[in-house]
């Protein structure tokens, strides 16, 4: 079966169908007028402020803590240490049923005996104001016994390395391998073997709004109300209940407006649980807002891979085999509860999957190190897999003198081969690889670009063109966390109700941090029910008020949230038509809903306003036949079961100029073609791609958490850690290929991670294309001027 | 011991008198004391631009300005610019173009863009990008923001002269 055709009812050209329309988000009207409401904007009566005392050392024993002077400082309400908090709060204990060999050790929310990374919280000060708490935090006296630290992941795996956790006896948290086909045979048969050693720097998410939480414990009812800048309020409610000893229904987590998340605000942080514990100790609301410096040393980091890889290729240009060996440093602990290994799993399982070769071997070694934790950030390992693959592909084409476009087309998994299982073990419903490449050639005149590059080279101007196919898994099923026995839902749930006014409210577990998911869901509800989009309100981000959902991660908002909204809306429509049929004395099948009216199914003649049905159904049931009970509130759950994950794919192109004297890169053009299945709202889909691509460009050119060998982060400020700003970034050109998934009615596959996943390989290929004629070769990102100059042998 | 200082300033057209600690930043004062939470705090060290406000007619970093420095001054925030309708076209374009995703950078972006608009002339796109490059946005990739500003400049002042860009 070819998955290519898919459902085509979506993306209709019917102008009244909201699906496929570029509808602006109503919520932006609040954001542009200063009426956004973020967690730090909130205050509560008797609220106090927590500040954490953090370890200045990457690895050190806590010999003693003297809190006396801090406790007497002005405004201070309470100073607590790890031992005190441990009395109300269980440590994290990560576990993954799929990886029983994963070595883990409990992580306390405030360090008890020793700190294992620079920035780990060891004590908390609570005061009337944040400034007073900060002053008093300076007065907490800690006697430290410095321990040998290990910062580099390779060094951590050396036999004589200092141990991050003595009790584990090793710094190797886990080793994963895949061996498929005949890899040795493939390399023996190869005419050309290309080989590279890659370094992907660690970086972090740098949400503009730092993490923020307000915990409000009410001892009279033993209930905890939390407001938090977060992607997954339901999951957090579950974590707080289990770690702090609450019945599940006594914890409510509300995520108001969230100022950027990207996976950084997907999981619990030790200091956030500690804030809840502080509220329990005090019986008062406690607010904690991270400052930028502590964000850099406590927010989740990502990437940080050292990969050796090689590709076997025939003289005709067939990829014969691929071998990948990755060392991935995850910091001091494996992230709770998902573990930090998925980034490594994606390197293992997503390398080379666009291509039809069958011989693949890979190993990923996951290392503990005395650094901030590293784990889930937008793209989770997929940018690494794609960069390794696409770089080797370009190296092979250079070596063989083949056209990189034609080489890719020749080696893609062909359309007729789906569903396809890659030698990595991952399976794919469909990947529109050739279609995306065709579309890229329509979008960018590659021969003209090559001619321009070549003619400028004669003038000593070094420009490069890089293309990179990218593949992604999205919208994962319970095959992931369900099988892992980790309490992360694959489902989404939704309540759709017809209000007495004839308007519609949709309460959904899915959350929106600006992606536009809520608007997309409103469009799906409107399209399915047959009402104007403006008549639909979507409410999310409240664990008590909305049905359970996992929130935003793995590009699942439109795919799973959209599908459950479709199913619930369809059920509500049936219920509405049943009532309308009773009133109009028609068969329900003879009626339909369109633009907020009951109409004749055949011909579309208006029969009745929806508002009238709503009024009758809520207030004047006396006019209905006695056996009609209007059911205007409908709930549905949706769990993706047909496939383990959905498959997104696309291709990106970078065109840039390298200054060989300065090592500086000027990105001139960047294009993205992506297939996210059904496009519910092209405006929002394209801005997701742009924002993601710029994050990927950031990691390719600028972003790095620089550590020294002692585990000190050296650039933990926004002045020193470089992020992409408006002047460095060109317009991002976009085109869509639309192949709806057949596994759902809606057909959406997800778009959140597409941009970030394919940007770094395109940039790295373009840089190599630019510096190749000068004898330079670079396999390290970010491609800083210094690294480029080193690649050119200038320094 | 009371180390606070009394300051009187005009905020969005209203005169306010408050006591403030000499070390309190203006953005914290506006957010905390006056409840004007439209101005945001992203870095507290002058890099991100989320705290951009207008002080005596000029865009400044609210995290690098002390509240006491605003004694006697005229301060405007996103709330005030909204009420006066000074940037209603910019705000409308930000909505239409989806130039705000999480919206955390947005008030600061708008205050900076307002300064550009107040300069009273059209500008080539690259110059708009340069002017806006003191404001960090993690979500949008900037293009929609630049589109919105460019559109407003053109609507107000016509197309820019050709040479630069
Ligand atoms: S908070 Fe003022 S510039 Fe970042
Ligand atoms: S919209 Fe999120 S930081 Fe700009």
């Amino acid at each position: 079966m070819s998955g290519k055709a898919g459902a085509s009812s979506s993306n209709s050209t019917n102008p009244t169908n909201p699906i496929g329309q570029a509808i602006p988000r109503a919520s932006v009207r609040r954001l542009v007028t200063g009426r956004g409401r973020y967690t730090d904007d909130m205050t509560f009566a008797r609220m106090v402020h927590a500040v954490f005392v953090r370890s200045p050392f990457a690895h050190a024993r806590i010999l003693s803590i003297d809190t006396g002077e801090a406790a007497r400082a002005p405004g201070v309400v309470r100073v607590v240490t790890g031992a005190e908090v441990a009395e109300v709060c269980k440590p994290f204990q990560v576990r993954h049923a799929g990886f029983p060999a994963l070595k883990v050790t409990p992580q306390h929310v405030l360090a008890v005996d020793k700190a294992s990374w620079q920035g780990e919280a060891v004590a908390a000060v609570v005061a009337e104001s944040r400034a007073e708490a900060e002053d008093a935090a300076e007065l907490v006296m800690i006697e430290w016994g410095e321990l040998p630290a290990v910062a580099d992941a390779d060094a951590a795996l050396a036999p004589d390395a200092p141990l991050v956790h003595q009790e584990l006896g090793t710094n190797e948290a886990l080793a994963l391998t895949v061996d498929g086909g005949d890899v040795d045979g493939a390399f023996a048969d190869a005419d050309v073997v290309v080989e590279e050693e890659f370094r992907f720097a660690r970086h972090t998410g740098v949400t503009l709004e730092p993490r923020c939480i307000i915990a409000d414990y009410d001892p009279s009812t033993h209930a905890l109300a939390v407001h938090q800048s977060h992607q997954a309020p339901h999951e957090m409610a579950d974590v707080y209940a289990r770690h702090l000893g609450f019945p599940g229904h006594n914890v409510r987590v509300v995520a108001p407006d969230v100022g950027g998340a990207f996976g950084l605000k997907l999981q619990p942080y030790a200091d956030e649980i500690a804030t809840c514990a502080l509220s329990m100790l005090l019986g008062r609301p406690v607010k904690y807002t991270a400052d930028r410096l502590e964000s850099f040393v406590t927010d989740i980091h990502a990437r940080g891979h050292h990969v050796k890889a090689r590709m076997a290729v025939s003289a005709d240009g067939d990829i014969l085999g691929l071998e990948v060996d990755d060392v991935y440093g995850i910091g001091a602990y494996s992230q709770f509860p998902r573990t930090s290994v998925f980034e490594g799993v994606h390197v293992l399982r997503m390398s080379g999957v666009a291509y039809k070769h069958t011989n693949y071997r890979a190993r990923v070694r996951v290392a503990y190190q005395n650094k901030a934790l590293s784990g889930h950030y937008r793209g989770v390992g997929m940018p690494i897999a794609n960069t390794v693959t696409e770089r080797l592909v370009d190296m092979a084409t250079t070596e063989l003198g083949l056209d990189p476009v034609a080489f890719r087309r020749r080696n893609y998994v062909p359309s007729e081969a789906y569903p396809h299982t890659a030698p990595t073990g991952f399976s794919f419903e469909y990947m529109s690889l050739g279609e995306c490449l065709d579309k890229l050639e329509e979008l960018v005149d590659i021969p003209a670009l090559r001619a321009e590059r070549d003619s400028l080279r004669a003038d000593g101007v070094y420009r490069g063109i890089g293309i990179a196919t990218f593949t992604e898994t999205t919208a994962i099923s319970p095959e992931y966390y369900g099988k892992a026995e980790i309490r992360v839902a694959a489902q989404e749930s939704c309540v759709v109700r017809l209000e007495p006014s004839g308007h519609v409210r949709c309460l959904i577990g899915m959350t929106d941090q600006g992606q536009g998911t809520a608007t997309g869901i409103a469009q799906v509800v409107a399209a399915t029910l047959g009402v104007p989009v403006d008549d639909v309100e979507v409410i999310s981000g409240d664990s008590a008020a909305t049905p359970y959902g996992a929130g935003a991660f793995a590009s699942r908002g439109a795919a799973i949230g959209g599908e459950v909204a479709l199913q619930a809306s369809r059920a509500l429509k049936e219920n509405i038509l049943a009532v309308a049929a009773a009133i109009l004395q028609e068969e329900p099948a003879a009626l339909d809903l369109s633009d907020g009216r009951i109409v004749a199914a055949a011909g579309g003649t208006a029969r009745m306003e929806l508002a009238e049905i709503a009024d009758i159904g809520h207030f004047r049931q006396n006019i209905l036949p006695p056996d009609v009970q209007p059911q205007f509130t409908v709930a549905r759950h949706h769990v993706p079961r047909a496939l383990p994950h959905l498959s997104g794919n696309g291709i990106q192109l970078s065109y840039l100029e390298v200054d060989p004297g300065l090592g500086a890169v000027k990105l001139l053009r960047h294009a993205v073609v992506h297939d996210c299945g059904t496009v519910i709202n092209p405006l929002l889909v394209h801005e997701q791609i742009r924002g993601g691509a710029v994050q990927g460009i950031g990691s390719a050119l600028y972003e790095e958490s620089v550590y020294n060998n002692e585990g000190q982060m050296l650039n933990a400020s926004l002045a020193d850690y470089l992020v992409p700003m408006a002047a460095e970034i060109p317009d991002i050109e976009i085109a869509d290929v639309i192949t709806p998934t057949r596994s759902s009615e809606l057909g959406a596959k997800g778009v959140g991670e597409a941009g970030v996943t394919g940007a770094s390989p395109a940039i790295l290929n373009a840089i190599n294309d630019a510096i190749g004629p000068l004898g330079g070769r670079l396999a390290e990102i970010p491609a800083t001027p210094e690294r480029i100059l080193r690649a050119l042998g200038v320094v | 011991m009371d180390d606070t200082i009394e300051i009187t300033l005009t905020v969005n057209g209203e005169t306010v008198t408050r006591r403030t600690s000499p070390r309190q930043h203006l953005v914290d004062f506006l957010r905390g004391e006056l409840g004007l939470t439209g101005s945001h705090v992203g870095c507290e060290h002058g890099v991100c631009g989320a705290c951009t406000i207008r002080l005596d007619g000029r865009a400044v970093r609210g995290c690098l300005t002390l509240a006491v420095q605003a004694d006697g001054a005229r301060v405007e925030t996103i709330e005030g610019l909204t009420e006066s309708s000074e940037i209603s076209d910019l705000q409308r374009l930000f909505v239409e173009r989806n130039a705000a995703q999480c919206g955390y950078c947005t008030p600061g972006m708008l205050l900076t863009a307002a300064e550009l608009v107040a300069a009273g002339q059209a500008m080539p796109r690259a110059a708009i990008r340069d002017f806006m490059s003191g404001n960090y946005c993690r979500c949008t990739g900037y293009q929609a923001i630049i589109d919105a500003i460019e559109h407003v400049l053109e609507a107000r002042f016509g197309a820019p002269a050709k040479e630069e860009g």
Side-chain angles (χ1 to χ4, degrees):
Chain A
M1 175 202 85
S2 160
K4 201 175 157 182
S8 58
S9 58
S10 320
N11 283 88
S12 98
T13 46
N14 171 6
T16 60
N17 181 359
I19 291 184
Q21 305 287 322
I23 298 173
R25 291 152 57 217
S27 56
V28 179
R29 294 201 288 265
R30 291 190 296 104
L31 307 179
V32 298
T33 51
R35 288 177 181 271
R37 195 145 172 78
Y38 304 86
T39 305
D40 191 57
D41 297 342
M42 300 179 177
T43 56
F44 293 89
R46 300 189 71 233
M47 187 177 85
V48 285
H49 300 260
V51 160
F52 293 92
V53 181
R54 298 184 180 277
S55 172
F57 298 108
H59 202 192
R61 201 157 286 292
I62 302 163
L63 301 177
S64 68
I65 305 187
D66 179 357
T67 59
E69 203 184 336
R72 290 187 297 274
V76 170
V77 175
R78 182 89 181 245
V79 183
V80 298
T81 61
E84 291 163 78
V85 168
E87 281 170 29
V88 283
C89 181
K90 282 192 239 160
F92 302 143
Q93 180 73 56
V94 186
R95 201 185 143 267
H96 189 301
F99 304 123
L102 177 66
K103 294 195 179 58
V104 292
T105 191
Q107 179 189 355
H108 290 278
V109 297
L110 295 182
V112 173
D113 296 317
K114 68 160 196 165
S116 301
W117 84 91
Q118 173 214 18
E120 183 171 6
V122 291
V125 178
V126 184
E128 297 289 344
S129 73
R130 186 174 174 209
E132 287 168 320
E134 281 174 357
D135 289 344
E138 304 271 312
L139 304 174
V140 173
M141 293 301 156
I142 303 175
E143 204 186 332
W144 295 99
E146 237 189 300
L147 295 166
V150 62
D152 179 73
D154 288 288
L157 295 180
D160 53 347
L163 293 178
V164 177
H165 303 292
Q166 208 67 39
E167 62 276 23
L168 298 181
T170 172
N171 291 324
E172 186 176 282
L174 185 68
L176 299 167
T177 55
V178 168
D179 200 343
D182 177 12
V183 176
D184 294 330
F187 279 89
D189 292 347
D191 295 302
V192 164
V193 172
V194 285
E195 198 163 351
E196 188 57 283
E197 182 169 353
F198 298 88
R199 290 183 190 274
F200 298 89
R202 221 180 214 254
H203 64 89
T204 180
V206 203
T207 58
L208 183 53
E209 179 208 27
R211 294 186 293 109
C212 184
I213 179 171
I214 304 169
D216 188 0
Y217 174 64
D218 179 351
S220 69
T221 54
H222 186 52
L224 180 69
V226 174
H227 285 79
Q228 184 170 8
S229 178
H230 211 272
Q231 296 165 244
H234 284 104
E235 184 184 327
M236 292 307 290
D238 185 62
V239 166
Y240 296 144
R242 293 163 68 85
H243 279 264
L244 296 161
F246 288 95
H249 62 301
N250 283 19
V251 179
R252 177 178 197 170
V253 178
V254 175
D257 287 327
V258 174
F262 317 115
L264 190 156
K265 296 173 182 169
L266 178 58
Q267 313 214 43
Y269 285 82
D271 48 25
E272 295 166 354
I273 298 197
T275 304
C276 296
L278 291 169
S279 180
M280 291 169 70
L281 290 171
L282 293 167
R284 295 174 71 166
V286 179
K287 178 190 274 188
Y288 166 63
T289 305
D291 71 24
R292 184 52 56 189
L293 309 185
E294 61 188 340
S295 297
F296 273 114
V297 294
T298 61
D299 286 353
I300 199 71
H301 290 196
R303 321 306 183 221
H305 294 256
H306 177 199
V307 182
K308 292 178 191 150
R310 57 183 193 139
M311 183 178 275
V313 187
S314 75
D316 306 341
D318 288 322
I319 298 174
L320 305 175
L322 177 65
E323 194 167 9
V324 174
D325 191 12
D326 178 24
V327 173
Y328 163 43
I330 60 168
Y333 292 94
S334 185
Q335 201 179 6
F336 179 81
R338 291 166 197 241
T339 81
S340 294
V341 302
F342 273 97
E343 169 113 348
V345 169
H346 279 159
V347 176
L348 193 82
R349 304 277 184 192
M350 291 298 287
S351 293
V353 298
Y355 301 107
K356 64 187 175 201
H357 72 102
T358 53
N359 306 309
Y360 177 71
R361 182 188 291 147
R363 177 174 69 154
V364 177
R365 281 177 297 160
V366 180
Y368 287 118
Q369 37 180 186
N370 294 112
K371 284 183 175 176
L373 278 56
S374 187
H376 288 233
Y377 162 66
R378 201 175 196 177
V380 194
M382 296 186 288
I384 311 296
N386 283 293
T387 304
V388 167
T389 307
E390 292 302 297
R391 188 69 212 109
L392 291 174
V393 163
D394 260 23
M395 289 170 68
T397 61
T398 306
E399 181 93 13
L400 289 163
L402 297 173
D403 174 5
V405 172
F407 181 93
R408 283 178 170 83
R409 208 187 303 276
R410 176 188 179 99
N411 282 285
Y412 283 152
V413 176
S415 302
E416 60 279 7
Y418 295 95
H420 168 71
T421 300
T424 67
F426 266 16
S427 59
F428 300 89
E429 180 192 22
Y430 186 73
M431 293 184 281
S432 55
L433 303 161
E435 297 95 311
C436 286
L437 184 52
D438 292 344
K439 194 63 138 205
L440 180 72
E441 291 187 296
E442 282 169 34
L443 184 65
V444 180
D445 184 345
I446 298 174
L449 218 51
R450 286 178 180 156
E452 181 179 281
R453 170 198 68 187
D454 294 343
S455 81
L456 285 166
R457 261 179 209 171
D459 304 334
V461 174
Y462 290 88
R463 290 194 175 175
I465 303 161
I467 61 172
T469 292
F470 65 98
T471 52
E472 19 159 23
T473 58
T474 62
I476 59 176
S477 78
E479 293 301 304
Y480 284 67
Y481 293 111
K483 234 182 205 165
E485 297 175 18
I486 291 172
R487 293 171 68 90
V488 171
Q491 66 153 351
E492 276 306 320
S493 319
C494 165
V495 168
V496 184
R497 61 184 204 226
L498 179 65
E499 299 291 29
S501 61
H503 299 92
V504 177
R505 278 210 170 95
C506 170
L507 292 85
I508 193 156
M510 174 56 60
T511 59
D512 185 345
Q513 296 78 44
Q515 301 92 323
T517 315
T519 303
I521 284 168
Q523 288 173 250
V524 170
V525 171
T528 311
L529 266 179
V531 301
V533 178
D534 286 347
D535 286 3
V536 181
E537 186 194 21
V538 174
I539 296 171
S540 68
D542 182 336
S543 74
T546 67
Y548 201 95
F553 73 95
S555 305
R556 65 196 294 283
I560 306 179
E563 182 67 12
V564 74
L566 184 154
Q567 300 296 346
S569 303
R570 171 165 304 153
L572 177 60
K573 181 177 173 179
E574 270 174 34
N575 293 355
I576 291 169
L577 291 182
V579 175
I583 296 168
L584 295 168
Q585 302 192 337
E586 292 271 11
E587 282 304 308
L591 300 173
D592 200 355
L593 245 171
S594 171
D595 203 27
R597 283 191 192 88
I598 307 297
V599 299
T605 319
R607 299 291 309 272
M608 206 177 167
E609 294 294 319
L610 178 58
E612 178 71 6
I613 303 269
D615 191 82
I616 292 168
H618 284 88
F619 307 118
R620 293 184 284 137
Q621 299 91 339
N622 54 301
I623 70 169
L624 296 173
D627 59 336
V628 174
Q629 291 282 344
Q631 299 296 338
F632 288 166
T633 300
V634 163
R636 282 292 181 277
H637 297 260
H638 176 69
V639 188
R641 296 298 306 276
L643 299 166
H645 49 241
L646 302 182
S647 324
N649 67 276
I651 188 161
Q652 300 199 20
L653 177 143
S654 297
Y655 182 53
L656 50 76
E657 185 171 317
V658 175
D659 181 330
L662 298 173
V665 173
K666 172 93 185 136
L667 183 59
L668 302 167
R669 283 182 76 175
H670 193 90
V672 183
V673 179
H674 184 244
D675 185 347
C676 68
T678 301
V679 173
I680 299 169
N681 183 326
L683 174 70
L684 307 184
V685 161
H686 292 175
E687 294 318 314
Q688 274 302 291
I689 291 174
R690 290 202 169 93
V694 172
Q695 283 187 16
I697 292 165
S699 67
L701 292 176
Y702 311 114
E703 298 187 39
E704 176 169 10
S705 309
V706 180
Y707 278 86
N708 69 9
N709 286 338
E710 283 72 52
Q712 294 284 324
M713 186 169 167
L714 301 177
N715 62 339
S717 86
L718 211 45
D720 299 306
Y721 179 106
L722 299 183
V723 287
M725 302 300 276
E728 289 99 57
I729 300 298
D731 289 342
I732 311 287
E733 304 156 57
I734 293 179
D736 306 302
V737 166
I738 298 175
T739 321
T741 173
R742 292 185 160 187
S743 66
S744 71
E745 265 182 71
L746 183 60
K749 298 194 293 199
V751 69
E753 295 163 296
V756 83
T757 298
S760 33
I763 297 259
L764 193 59
N765 275 342
I767 290 173
N768 278 285
D769 188 45
I771 66 176
L774 293 165
R777 178 168 141 191
L778 185 72
E780 188 167 3
I781 59 169
T784 57
E786 186 190 336
R787 288 183 180 129
I788 288 177
L789 292 180
R790 231 186 278 131
L792 289 169
V794 176
V795 293
Chain B
M1 181 194 74
D2 180 13
D3 66 348
T4 59
I5 293 172
E6 187 176 286
I7 58 171
T8 298
L9 60 163
T10 312
V11 180
N12 298 330
E14 276 175 43
T15 305
V16 294
T17 301
R18 289 283 192 288
R19 296 197 73 82
T20 178
S21 151
R23 67 173 175 175
Q24 185 167 46
H25 290 122
L26 185 51
V27 67
D28 291 338
F29 175 82
L30 294 168
R31 289 174 52 79
E33 307 293 324
L34 305 184
L36 293 167
T37 52
S39 305
H40 297 149
V41 174
C43 70
E44 299 176 89
H45 50 261
V47 182
C48 74
C51 63
T52 306
I53 51 168
R54 196 184 272 172
L55 181 68
D56 286 335
R58 287 190 43 232
V60 300
R61 306 279 199 211
C63 73
L64 294 183
T65 311
L66 295 170
V68 293
Q69 287 176 279
D71 191 18
R74 213 162 21 90
V75 172
E76 289 156 278
T77 66
I78 186 65
E79 290 90 346
L81 265 61
T82 300
E83 212 153 289
S84 72
S85 300
E86 181 190 323
I87 53 165
S88 55
D89 50 355
L90 262 178
Q91 289 166 315
R92 185 170 48 78
L93 258 297
F94 265 57
V95 174
E96 282 173 15
R97 190 57 193 81
N98 201 45
Q101 289 188 22
C102 80
Y104 203 75
C105 68
T106 310
M109 287 285 178
L110 285 166
L111 267 284
T112 305
E115 187 153 74
L116 199 56
V117 171
Q121 53 181 347
M123 253 192 167
R125 196 169 168 86
I128 300 171
R129 281 193 177 269
D130 278 344
F131 193 91
M132 297 305 297
S133 68
N135 288 69
Y136 172 53
C137 175
R138 189 49 142 179
C139 304
T140 63
Y142 303 106
Q143 184 168 337
I145 295 171
I146 305 301
D147 286 347
I149 297 169
E150 186 180 39
H151 192 106
V152 166
L153 289 178
E154 276 193 34
R156 286 204 193 187
F157 313 116
K162 264 273 178 276
E163 8 66 272
E164 255 183 290

